[in-house]
Amino acid sequence: MRILTPKKAFFYAVTLCLTSSYINAQDQNITVNQDSKFEQLLNEKRKTNISNTVNDRYKVQIFSGDSEKAKNTLNEFKQEFGDMDGTIVFNTPNYKVWVGNFKTRIEAERNLIDIRKEYKNVFLIKPNK
């Protein structure tokens, strides 16, 4: 291992300082043109991600069947129970309508009683991912 003399060390330090002042990063502005529908799609995706949080939450399944009936059931539910969120989940071969996002089982069972008045084949679930 060679040790630099003080003269060479000083020369390298000065050279490094002078050359580093001329180094520039890229100074360019980028303009992104995107369709306005893209932003709408992102917002819908964000809503879906929020409603699909299934960590330790309970949900109520109100329907299981084909796609069109699932959409109709979800729309009817949103009209009747506007304060509760709902989502359609596809599990081969059925579309399932899950509603609510309850932290505790007691809270979910209280809402299940109200939902059961309108929808007969409902049950409480705790989905796993």
Side-chain angles (χ1 to χ4, degrees):
M1 184 161 97
R2 295 175 54 188
I3 299 176
L4 294 176
T5 61
K7 204 180 222 185
K8 284 186 179 180
F10 178 74
F11 173 74
Y12 287 138
V14 170
T15 305
L16 181 64
C17 290
L18 291 175
T19 57
S20 65
S21 65
Y22 293 109
I23 297 174
N24 291 323
Q26 297 174 354
D27 293 328
Q28 294 181 353
N29 294 329
I30 297 175
T31 304
V32 176
N33 296 324
Q34 68 182 14
D35 191 6
S36 61
K37 291 182 182 179
F38 183 73
E39 191 65 35
Q40 292 173 344
L41 183 64
L42 279 177
N43 289 334
E44 288 298 317
K45 178 67 176 164
R46 288 180 187 126
K47 288 179 191 175
T48 303
N49 286 343
I50 290 170
S51 67
N52 281 342
T53 55
V54 293
N55 303 1
D56 291 334
R57 302 291 178 129
Y58 292 89
K59 295 187 180 289
V60 176
Q61 181 172 318
I62 62 173
F63 178 80
S64 178
D66 66 288
S67 174
E68 287 303 315
K69 287 184 182 177
K71 290 177 187 174
N72 292 337
T73 304
L74 182 60
N75 287 336
E76 290 172 8
F77 179 82
K78 285 185 177 181
Q79 289 174 355
E80 294 172 18
F81 299 90
D83 58 334
M84 259 190 260
D85 64 334
T87 186
I88 296 175
V89 178
F90 179 70
N91 289 336
T92 306
N94 293 323
Y95 290 85
K96 298 178 180 184
V97 179
W98 292 348
V99 296
N101 198 13
F102 310 108
K103 289 183 181 180
T104 63
R105 185 176 179 96
I106 294 172
E107 180 186 4
E109 287 177 354
R110 287 181 187 148
N111 284 289
L112 178 67
I113 294 169
D114 294 335
I115 295 170
R116 189 169 276 151
K117 292 175 185 174
E118 297 295 323
Y119 299 93
K120 299 302 176 202
N121 296 325
V122 299
F123 55 92
L124 188 62
I125 60 171
K126 187 172 183 181
N128 297 342
K129 273 201 172 180

